[in-house]
Amino acid sequence: MASNSSLITNNRKRIYYAPKYWQFDPIYQTNVKLFIKDLLNLKTVQFIEGSKITHGFFYGNHPIQEVDIIATVTAFDINEGKKYTKYTLDDGSATIEFTDFKNEDGPILEPKFDRGTVIRVIGKIKDYNGKREIGNSYGRMWTEKDPNAELLRWLEILTLKKDVYSRPFILPKRTTTINNVSDVEEVPPISEVPESVPNTSMSSSRIFERMKNSDNQSSYTEEAFTDLITRYIYKNNLTRFSIVRIRQSPELNEFAKKVAINQYPCPKPNGRQVAALFAKALRLLVLEGFLNYGDYHKISYCVDLLFVDMVREWKVQM
């Protein structure tokens, strides 16, 4: 698709601004953090300005220039003649190739990173020989030593998608004054706005806190019990479940009994007290936006769409 105008649309009426306007989108000035599967699905749009042809990559209608990803090296290929190493990177959603060019003289004898290494890379997104890849010529790649880096990045991306990337780029009105007469140039609004993400009060960082806090089970409180349920959902890759499924866990039942003992002056809690703790914890996760009710009678639950991919993909390190 090509255009000589300041903006173009596709057949779904989404507006893409020409390159001269990209600088006004704050996202264009950043190293965009997305899943690899998102990078592979970026839309390519062609612009014609005079004799110049420019291609742009878009997430929604946001122009994307540089990306920042955390992924695991699954393969590498050294090209000694052209002095670059091509790495295959996997972040759990898809794979993409990352080309690291060597600036110094001399052949490349070994890769910077071996297979299985978790690394962070920053580079420009591009298409080469019909394939989407990331290019780097400035050595912006590092080993990630934090064992929680991949999980934290997933949480960060989900938050950015909800709070930033889902909002369309709309160029503001421009006002010029000639001979004391104000002239307002109207820029057409976006005609297609992405579906809004359900409003949720639970931040991604709070999810990670629940996961982390569940390792410390020395404090038998309702908050600690809710943390443990959250971890149980992730550990078992649950995206839709009944309350019976949760109640069948020996680990959760034992913890709930200890919470009840702390709350009630009795040596042995009864079934009603334990059931009330389960119901309260699940209701809290619904209020926070992590869970939704799965049926009219509120006896089944489903993970909110904002977090469901992370539950399916993330593997808990036990």
Side-chain angles (χ1 to χ4, degrees), residues 2 6 65 81 124 160 207 216 242 294:
S6 62
Q65 179 178 220
K124 289 191 175 183
L160 286 170
I207 296 177
N216 180 14
S242 67

Side-chain angles (χ1 to χ4, degrees), residues 36-309:
I36 290 177
K37 67 177 181 181
D38 297 320
L39 302 182
L40 298 178
N41 291 326
L42 292 178
K43 182 175 180 58
T44 305
V45 180
Q46 177 179 291
F47 298 85
I48 299 177
E49 297 176 302
S51 60
K52 183 180 180 182
I53 299 178
T54 305
H55 294 83
F57 299 100
F58 290 84
Y59 182 82
N61 82 321
H62 293 286
I64 305 300
Q65 179 178 220
E66 290 194 334
V67 297
D68 179 344
I69 67 172
I70 294 178
T72 302
V73 176
T74 58
F76 59 83
D77 179 36
I78 298 176
N79 186 308
E80 294 184 9
K82 296 184 178 180
K83 297 183 180 180
Y84 70 77
T85 305
K86 192 177 289 289
Y87 295 90
T88 301
L89 304 180
D90 187 341
D91 71 346
S93 69
T95 61
I96 195 171
E97 290 188 338
F98 176 83
T99 305
D100 178 38
F101 290 94
K102 185 176 185 292
N103 295 324
E104 301 84 7
D105 294 331
I108 303 175
L109 300 179
E110 59 183 19
K112 294 180 182 177
F113 307 100
D114 203 353
R115 297 178 183 87
T117 306
V118 177
I119 66 174
R120 177 186 176 190
V121 300
I122 296 175
K124 289 191 175 183
I125 194 75
K126 64 178 183 177
D127 284 340
Y128 181 71
N129 287 340
K131 290 181 61 178
R132 185 72 44 87
E133 66 176 41
I134 303 172
N136 171 42
S137 59
Y138 303 102
R140 292 177 297 175
M141 52 195 308
W142 313 269
T143 301
E144 269 296 346
K145 298 182 180 180
D146 184 353
N148 298 312
E150 289 179 285
L151 173 60
L152 288 171
R153 175 54 62 86
W154 274 67
L155 297 172
E156 184 180 12
I157 291 173
L158 290 172
T159 300
L160 286 170
K161 281 188 172 185
K162 170 182 176 290
D163 296 335
V164 182
Y165 301 157
S166 64
R167 300 177 181 179
F169 167 39
I170 301 177
L171 200 64
K173 298 176 182 179
R174 295 190 301 166
T175 302
T176 58
T177 302
I178 301 177
N179 296 328
N180 296 322
V181 177
S182 180
D183 176 39
V184 179
E185 179 183 346
E186 293 282 352
V187 176
I190 294 297
S191 56
E192 180 192 37
V193 179
E195 294 183 4
S196 59
V197 180
N199 183 27
T200 171
S201 60
M202 185 178 194
S203 67
S204 296
S205 60
R206 181 68 187 116
I207 296 177
F208 180 69
E209 288 177 15
R210 287 202 182 284
M211 299 284 291
K212 183 174 62 176
N213 293 341
S214 66
D215 288 332
N216 180 14
Q217 300 183 6
S218 60
S219 177
Y220 297 104
T221 63
E222 290 184 357
E223 178 70 12
F225 183 52
T226 306
D227 294 342
L228 191 62
I229 288 180
T230 307
R231 184 179 180 88
Y232 180 86
I233 291 171
Y234 277 81
K235 177 182 175 182
N236 292 279
N237 298 321
L238 301 181
T239 57
R240 189 179 183 91
F241 55 90
S242 67
I243 192 170
V244 175
R245 173 73 166 82
I246 295 291
R247 288 294 308 274
Q248 288 177 341
S249 165
E251 176 189 15
L252 294 178
N253 272 284
E254 287 301 313
F255 197 90
K257 290 177 182 178
K258 293 177 181 178
V259 174
I261 290 174
N262 284 345
Q263 290 187 343
Y264 304 103
C266 60
K268 185 177 181 181
N270 57 45
R272 181 178 298 178
Q273 293 167 337
V274 172
L277 288 171
F278 274 92
K280 187 173 182 180
L282 291 170
R283 186 166 60 250
L284 177 61
L285 290 175
V286 170
L287 291 174
E288 289 181 331
F290 178 59
L291 296 179
N292 296 316
Y293 289 115
D295 66 290
Y296 177 78
H297 299 288
K298 300 181 180 181
I299 59 176
S300 64
Y301 299 85
C302 55
V303 177
D304 187 87
L305 290 176
L306 183 63
F307 309 107
V308 69
D309 282 343

